[in-house]
Amino acid sequence: SSLCLFSGVCGGEFSILRSPQSVAFRDGRWPIPGERIPDVAALTMGFSVEEDLPWPGLGVGDLFHRPQATVLVTVKGVDKLPVKGFSYPIENAVPFSLDSVANAIHTLFSEETPVVLQLAPSEERVYMVGKANAVFEDLSVTLRQLRNRLFQDSSILSSLPLNSLSRNNEVDLLFLSELQVLHDIASLLSRHKHLAKDHSPDLYSLELSGLEEIGKRYGEDSQQFKDASQILVDSLQKFADEMFNLYGGNAVVEVVAVKEFNSPLSRKTRSILQASQSKNDNPYNLAYPYNYDYSVIFNIVLWMMIGLALAVIVISYNLWNMDPGYDSIIYRMTNQKIRMD
């Protein structure tokens, strides 16, 4: 079974297209902080998060039947998409990544066959791990591959109503190539259905910026932008339905639509040459940030030390008071009475 998260931010809006009954999303306009969207994905899949999420939009759900796949699609360049399902406004639309969810899957299911695919077609950024390397090895990921894929016989150009969009314009082709990627992901996965039925969770994180480029090229009041928006909504809904069905209905599909992020995405890195912290870096001698695992580790260490100390005392006491008469013949021969006999 699988959880497909399809996530949409509308200048701040986060939409749930499909979800199984085991995941309890509530209908309401509760704002969700942009930086907590990865935590929503983690909690729906049954993973723990470092900080509690006091957001009413997500209920407890069925703890014993967790979805096994998350599909999260981020659409840039638009405030809102008229998709079906629950939608929540996003406050503080900052960039986010699902790296933490991917790491949790790697850690807990390293011996099994999870599929992890993170893709941004327009930036030629792709990250595939596990069985994704085999399943999606034919997936077009570079701009050249995407353009060639569009002009093959089996591409979406043969079935998609382009309306005001043109197959001769580079900006239009970029937008259409991202829709081709959605189609190909579902198509390739349908050939490996056994991966959608195993016990390891899967993760799909896609970032689409083709609509944003069309808005910059033609203007947001243009017919091209309106047609592209409608085509995108239809394609996302179809993609969500296909992924949901491939995972037997045990999937959450979310869409994040965001006009533009408040700040660029910066991944935390640490130089191997980084010097240790000096007093200049910490002029007020502040304590380190509290780690939520501290109490757990403290209790493990404390009771293990107490247990070992008691074990040493008991064993030492019994050895000191051991009766040699019950031991081997070596010790019994030291008995004076036996030697005299």
Side-chain angles (χ1 to χ4, degrees):
S1 63
S2 293
L3 158 70
C4 297
L5 268 161
F6 209 62
S7 154
V9 183
C10 309
E13 193 160 271
F14 175 69
S15 304
I16 312 299
L17 297 190
R18 302 295 298 266
S19 65
Q21 294 182 348
S22 60
V23 178
F25 283 103
R26 300 193 181 104
D27 190 7
R29 298 293 293 175
W30 297 290
I32 174 73
E35 68 274 9
R36 301 307 303 274
I37 290 175
D39 289 344
V40 174
L43 290 170
T44 53
M45 298 188 81
F47 299 141
S48 60
V49 295
E50 289 191 4
E51 187 177 350
D52 288 340
L53 180 65
W55 182 57
L58 180 62
V60 175
D62 188 344
L63 298 177
F64 299 100
H65 295 88
R66 293 286 84 187
Q68 295 272 328
T70 297
V71 182
L72 173 63
V73 178
T74 302
V75 177
K76 296 166 64 177
V78 65
D79 304 303
K80 177 182 295 189
L81 287 172
V83 293
K84 300 174 184 177
F86 299 139
S87 294
Y88 310 95
I90 293 181
E91 60 182 17
N92 189 25
V94 296
F96 60 88
S97 78
L98 297 188
D99 291 351
S100 58
V101 183
N103 291 336
I105 291 176
H106 293 324
T107 303
L108 298 173
F109 299 91
S110 58
E111 301 299 322
E112 300 184 43
T113 56
V115 175
V116 176
L117 174 67
Q118 294 176 275
L119 187 66
S122 62
E123 299 178 13
E124 298 188 346
R125 175 159 47 85
V126 61
Y127 175 74
M128 293 189 288
V129 176
K131 287 297 179 181
N133 287 321
V135 177
F136 301 110
E137 61 182 354
D138 297 327
L139 189 67
S140 300
V141 292
T142 67
L143 294 178
R144 180 188 293 266
Q145 290 174 338
L146 290 170
R147 183 187 176 95
N148 293 338
R149 176 71 183 93
L150 273 179
F151 290 99
Q152 294 176 3
D153 294 337
S154 59
S155 78
I156 59 173
L157 287 182
S158 59
S159 59
L160 207 61
L162 299 183
N163 297 331
S164 61
L165 299 180
S166 169
R167 61 174 67 199
N168 298 319
N169 191 296
E170 290 297 329
V171 174
D172 297 16
L173 289 175
L174 172 65
F175 168 75
L176 294 170
S177 67
E178 293 183 342
L179 303 186
Q180 183 68 55
V181 170
L182 296 181
H183 174 271
D184 288 347
I185 288 174
S187 177
L188 289 169
L189 186 62
S190 67
R191 302 178 202 169
H192 301 80
K193 292 182 180 178
H194 62 283
L195 293 175
K197 297 177 181 178
D198 60 17
H199 297 292
S200 57
D202 301 334
L203 175 68
Y204 304 85
S205 175
L206 310 171
E207 185 175 309
L208 310 181
S209 56
L211 186 63
E212 181 181 37
E213 296 302 321
I214 284 186
K216 293 177 180 177
R217 171 68 174 81
Y218 301 108
E220 295 183 11
D221 296 326
S222 64
Q223 189 61 40
Q224 287 91 338
F225 187 81
K226 294 177 183 177
D227 288 344
S229 298
Q230 186 58 51
I231 292 173
L232 178 62
V233 169
D234 294 341
S235 298
L236 289 177
Q237 196 69 59
K238 181 182 178 183
F239 177 66
D241 292 341
E242 289 175 343
M243 297 295 283
F244 186 75
N245 293 330
L246 282 170
Y247 282 100
N250 193 14
V252 175
V253 184
E254 308 172 337
V255 176
V256 176
V258 60
K259 182 74 174 177
E260 62 180 3
F261 287 115
N262 293 341
S263 60
L265 177 61
S266 60
R267 297 178 186 271
K268 293 182 179 180
T269 59
R270 184 179 188 275
S271 170
I272 59 174
L273 301 178
Q274 183 175 354
S276 60
Q277 187 182 47
S278 66
K279 289 186 178 180
N280 293 332
D281 299 326
N282 189 10
Y284 303 109
N285 195 27
L286 299 178
Y288 292 107
Y290 179 74
N291 188 323
Y292 287 90
D293 294 331
Y294 176 83
S295 60
V296 177
I297 297 173
F298 177 83
N299 274 276
I300 291 174
V301 174
L302 173 65
W303 293 107
M304 184 177 291
M305 290 176 62
I306 292 175
L308 289 174
L310 290 175
V312 169
I313 292 172
V314 171
I315 293 171
S316 301
Y317 176 83
N318 282 280
L319 285 174
W320 185 264
N321 294 280
M322 181 184 293
D323 185 353
Y326 292 106
D327 216 319
S328 70
I329 192 170
I330 299 175
Y331 295 100
R332 286 206 303 272
M333 292 304 292
T334 62
N335 189 302
Q336 191 68 29
K337 183 175 182 297
I338 293 176
R339 277 210 306 270
M340 290 175 64
D341 294 343

